[in-house]
Amino acid sequence: RAEIANHASNGSWTTIDRSQVPAGRSLVRLIWVYKRKRSDALKARLCVQGCAQVHGVDYDQTFCVTMRPTSLRALAAIASAAGMRMRRWDFVAAYL
Protein backbone atom coordinates (compact mmCIF):
# COMPACT_ATOMS: atom_id res chain seq x y z
CA ARG A 1 0.00 0.00 0.00
CA ALA A 2 2.79 2.41 0.85
CA GLU A 3 4.53 1.78 -2.46
CA ILE A 4 1.38 2.42 -4.49
CA ALA A 5 0.77 5.62 -2.51
CA ASN A 6 4.35 6.76 -3.24
CA HIS A 7 3.95 6.09 -6.96
CA ALA A 8 0.59 7.88 -7.03
CA SER A 9 1.92 10.96 -5.19
CA ASN A 10 4.97 11.17 -7.51
CA GLY A 11 2.95 10.77 -10.70
CA SER A 12 4.93 7.69 -11.80
CA TRP A 13 2.28 6.67 -14.31
CA THR A 14 -0.92 7.76 -15.98
CA THR A 15 -3.94 5.47 -16.03
CA ILE A 16 -5.54 5.26 -19.46
CA ASP A 17 -8.31 3.24 -21.08
CA ARG A 18 -7.23 0.54 -23.56
CA SER A 19 -9.06 2.45 -26.31
CA GLN A 20 -6.62 5.36 -25.82
CA VAL A 21 -3.53 3.29 -26.75
CA PRO A 22 -2.10 4.62 -30.04
CA ALA A 23 -2.05 2.29 -33.06
CA GLY A 24 1.11 0.20 -33.20
CA ARG A 25 1.79 0.55 -29.46
CA SER A 26 1.11 -1.82 -26.61
CA LEU A 27 0.62 -1.41 -22.88
CA VAL A 28 3.49 -2.30 -20.58
CA ARG A 29 2.41 -4.93 -18.04
CA LEU A 30 2.96 -4.60 -14.31
CA ILE A 31 3.75 -7.54 -12.05
CA TRP A 32 3.90 -7.92 -8.29
CA VAL A 33 7.08 -9.39 -6.78
CA TYR A 34 6.66 -10.81 -3.29
CA LYS A 35 9.43 -11.39 -0.76
CA ARG A 36 9.60 -12.66 2.81
CA LYS A 37 12.21 -10.71 4.77
CA ARG A 38 14.47 -12.12 7.50
CA SER A 39 12.18 -10.72 10.17
CA ASP A 40 9.30 -12.70 8.59
CA ALA A 41 7.77 -9.44 7.40
CA LEU A 42 6.22 -9.66 3.95
CA LYS A 43 7.17 -7.19 1.23
CA ALA A 44 5.46 -6.61 -2.09
CA ARG A 45 7.03 -4.62 -4.90
CA LEU A 46 5.27 -3.41 -8.04
CA CYS A 47 7.51 -3.88 -11.09
CA VAL A 48 7.27 -3.35 -14.81
CA GLN A 49 8.09 -6.32 -16.99
CA GLY A 50 11.44 -5.09 -18.32
CA CYS A 51 11.58 -7.55 -21.21
CA ALA A 52 8.53 -5.84 -22.74
CA GLN A 53 10.04 -2.33 -22.74
CA VAL A 54 11.86 -0.58 -25.57
CA HIS A 55 14.47 2.09 -24.72
CA GLY A 56 13.44 5.50 -26.03
CA VAL A 57 9.83 4.39 -26.47
CA ASP A 58 8.68 3.12 -23.06
CA TYR A 59 11.43 4.74 -20.98
CA ASP A 60 14.36 7.12 -21.36
CA GLN A 61 16.11 6.90 -17.97
CA THR A 62 17.28 4.11 -15.70
CA PHE A 63 18.17 4.24 -12.03
CA CYS A 64 20.24 2.08 -9.73
CA VAL A 65 18.82 1.71 -6.22
CA THR A 66 22.19 0.95 -4.62
CA MET A 67 24.45 3.37 -2.82
CA ARG A 68 27.77 4.44 -4.34
CA PRO A 69 30.78 3.02 -2.48
CA THR A 70 32.15 6.54 -1.94
CA SER A 71 28.87 7.62 -0.34
CA LEU A 72 28.89 4.58 1.92
CA ARG A 73 32.48 5.27 3.01
CA ALA A 74 31.63 8.92 3.74
CA LEU A 75 28.59 7.87 5.77
CA ALA A 76 30.67 5.30 7.67
CA ALA A 77 33.34 7.92 8.43
CA ILE A 78 30.75 10.38 9.75
CA ALA A 79 29.12 7.69 11.89
CA SER A 80 32.49 6.57 13.25
CA ALA A 81 33.55 10.14 14.08
CA ALA A 82 30.27 10.67 15.94
CA GLY A 83 30.62 7.36 17.81
CA MET A 84 27.51 5.92 16.15
CA ARG A 85 26.77 2.40 14.97
CA MET A 86 25.66 1.58 11.44
CA ARG A 87 22.83 -0.85 10.73
CA ARG A 88 20.89 -2.05 7.71
CA TRP A 89 18.37 0.30 6.10
CA ASP A 90 15.22 -0.28 4.14
CA PHE A 91 14.01 2.75 2.23
CA VAL A 92 10.43 2.38 1.03
CA ALA A 93 10.72 4.76 -1.92
CA ALA A 94 14.45 5.29 -2.37
CA TYR A 95 14.25 4.94 -6.15
CA LEU A 96 11.36 7.31 -6.82
Side-chain angles (χ1 to χ4, degrees):
R1 292 182 187 156
E3 186 160 345
I4 290 177
N6 284 329
H7 281 295
S9 67
N10 288 323
S12 297
W13 66 72
T14 303
T15 304
I16 63 170
D17 190 62
R18 286 189 182 272
S19 63
Q20 295 175 308
V21 178
R25 299 287 302 271
S26 60
L27 295 175
V28 178
R29 295 188 63 199
L30 299 174
I31 60 172
W32 284 98
V33 177
Y34 300 99
K35 181 179 179 181
R36 182 179 300 274
K37 301 184 82 169
R38 291 181 188 173
S39 63
D40 281 340
L42 299 174
K43 183 170 186 170
R45 180 170 291 163
L46 183 62
C47 300
V48 175
Q49 285 186 321
C51 61
Q53 296 181 3
V54 177
H55 181 72
V57 176
D58 297 314
Y59 68 95
D60 59 359
Q61 298 176 357
T62 58
F63 299 94
C64 181
V65 296
T66 59
M67 183 183 283
R68 288 183 178 177
T70 53
S71 299
L72 180 59
R73 284 193 294 272
L75 187 59
I78 292 168
S80 178
M84 301 169 96
R85 290 180 146 173
M86 293 183 61
R87 297 182 184 173
R88 286 180 277 154
W89 304 285
D90 186 14
F91 297 100
V92 175
Y95 57 90
L96 295 178

